[in-house]
Amino acid sequence: MTSPSDIAQQFATFLPHCKALNMRMDMLEPSQAIMSMPYDKRLIGDPETGVIHGGAVSALMDTCGGASVFMHPENAGASVTLDLRIDYMRPAKPGERIYAESYCFHATRTVAFVRVTAWAGDKKDEMVATATGAFSFKHKTKGRA
Amino acid sequence: MRKKPEPMQVIKERRDGALLRLVEAIPYINFMGITFQRRGDELTATMNYTDMLIGNPALPAIHGGATAAFLETAAIIELAWADIWAKMEMERLSGAEIAALPLPKLPKTIDFTTDYLSIGHPRDVYARARINRSGRRYASVHVEAWQDNRSKLVAQATGHFLMPSKNG
């Protein structure tokens, strides 16, 4: 049988946009996910500094958020992003791999809420960005509202 | 005596040249297949459809992250363009003078909130940004994206940006 984590693993490799950004699934636990993508010159948003465009980071955080929703123990279907707010703390150091870690901290019958943090390289305590998001959700046991 | 106005073609070439120079300097815009059309000072951004924009192959639908990235790009270019436009039109710079200027420093995103209103179909997406506030330090920009129908939005977003300091 295909487990949720088998399916979530495919987020990074099968979804065309994730593949284009070379995303990788690094960790999957109930309601949690860590994903990353390598530094890539094609993704530079500021030619003066070589820093990756915020949009590429938001694609990683959105995907990671979706993966953590998918890994929620009560998840019974596919989710779409309803809203995502990203705060940018500092530029991701050029050349460093970018990581995102998401936690789906609450799910109702219809909505799941996530918190995501992003960092570069091994500097997990130096946040590049944080995000909060809401995803559509299908609850296994609570049924439809 | 009043100066004769410039031929329209000269004005258009100068303005389009300045826009293209800005957009082509940013690798990510090219990677995403985003282009800009100009009418006077108004910009419309297009995210030209390619398969790599897909997030959900089953539907299929454009990746929400790609949509957010597109809206953020439209907002940043709108801000940078407003600055270039002001220089170009107020200071009456020629095409050659503009081409000789260093590229403007880009505004930095402080926060960006995307509101997903409907599924992004596998087609081109359009966006227009409106600068709601632009101060010396901070700017607030609202962006709307649509596909077939201008009044049926795919997504909208609001972002705050840190403006580059004027004296370097």
Side-chain angles (χ1 to χ4, degrees):
Chain A
M1 209 190 106
T2 325
S3 72
S5 71
D6 287 343
I7 300 170
Q9 193 63 247
Q10 298 173 353
F11 270 50
T13 42
F14 281 173
L15 308 189
H17 194 60
C18 305
K19 213 168 134 192
L21 295 172
N22 287 310
M23 288 185 198
R24 179 178 86 189
M25 187 66 73
D26 293 313
M27 187 278 273
L28 283 167
E29 292 287 335
S31 302
Q32 289 177 68
I34 297 180
M35 293 185 74
S36 62
M37 65 181 186
Y39 180 79
D40 187 333
K41 285 200 162 96
R42 295 174 305 161
L43 306 181
I44 290 174
D46 188 343
E48 202 182 323
T49 57
V51 170
I52 297 248
H53 194 280
V57 179
S58 75
L60 178 71
M61 295 179 93
D62 181 288
T63 311
C64 189
S68 70
V69 172
F70 198 84
M71 289 303 292
H72 191 284
E74 296 299 326
N75 171 53
S79 294
V80 298
T81 319
L82 297 175
D83 123 302
L84 192 73
R85 177 202 161 101
I86 304 189
D87 293 288
Y88 295 97
M89 271 82 218
R90 55 164 66 76
K93 200 177 155 207
E96 298 277 16
R97 191 171 187 89
I98 300 174
Y99 290 85
E101 177 171 31
S102 179
Y103 176 47
C104 177
F105 62 92
H106 186 70
T108 70
R109 270 180 282 213
T110 48
V111 187
F113 300 90
V114 304
R115 268 197 285 268
V116 196
T117 54
W119 67 93
D122 53 8
K123 301 248 165 56
K124 198 177 173 180
D125 49 342
E126 291 178 16
M127 270 184 272
V128 165
T130 65
T132 52
F135 288 76
S136 69
F137 193 71
K138 216 184 237 173
H139 205 285
K140 255 184 205 167
T141 48
K142 283 184 188 165
R144 299 295 288 182
Chain B
M1 207 179 80
R2 245 182 104 209
K3 237 173 98 183
K4 216 177 133 193
E6 281 178 300
M8 186 178 81
Q9 207 46 42
V10 172
I11 301 177
K12 274 197 168 170
E13 275 175 21
R14 181 181 64 219
R15 291 174 176 174
D16 289 336
L19 177 60
L20 199 63
R21 186 165 170 263
L22 168 68
V23 169
E24 283 184 343
I26 305 168
Y28 184 70
I29 295 183
N30 177 48
F31 172 81
M32 293 293 285
I34 299 170
T35 51
F36 288 84
Q37 294 77 44
R38 183 192 63 78
R39 303 265 185 289
D41 68 342
E42 184 198 61
L43 297 184
T44 307
T46 304
M47 183 160 73
N48 297 276
Y49 178 75
T50 53
D51 289 340
M52 73 93 178
L53 295 176
I54 290 293
N56 183 333
L59 286 172
I62 290 179
H63 195 292
T67 304
F70 173 50
L71 292 173
E72 192 180 327
T73 301
I76 290 172
I77 293 299
E78 184 74 27
L79 284 169
W81 174 245
D83 187 51
I84 293 173
W85 179 269
K87 272 209 187 81
M88 186 165 61
E89 301 304 313
M90 304 306 156
E91 296 174 24
R92 303 255 165 187
L93 297 182
S94 70
E97 283 171 315
I98 290 160
L101 285 175
L103 276 168
K105 282 189 191 300
L106 295 170
K108 291 189 165 57
T109 315
I110 300 168
D111 60 67
F112 201 75
T113 307
T114 311
D115 183 5
Y116 296 92
L117 302 169
S118 57
I119 280 172
H121 296 292
R123 299 196 267 283
D124 291 356
V125 193
Y126 311 105
R128 269 189 210 135
R130 184 182 70 229
I131 302 171
N132 282 331
R133 182 187 185 275
S134 179
R136 217 152 37 90
R137 248 190 221 146
Y138 309 110
S140 175
V141 184
H142 184 80
V143 200
E144 294 183 340
W146 71 96
Q147 291 191 299
D148 304 319
N149 187 341
R150 176 70 180 87
S151 61
K152 191 177 174 284
L153 298 182
V154 167
Q156 60 180 351
T158 304
H160 295 94
F161 297 86
L162 187 63
M163 301 304 284
S165 64
K166 298 279 179 213
N167 34 11

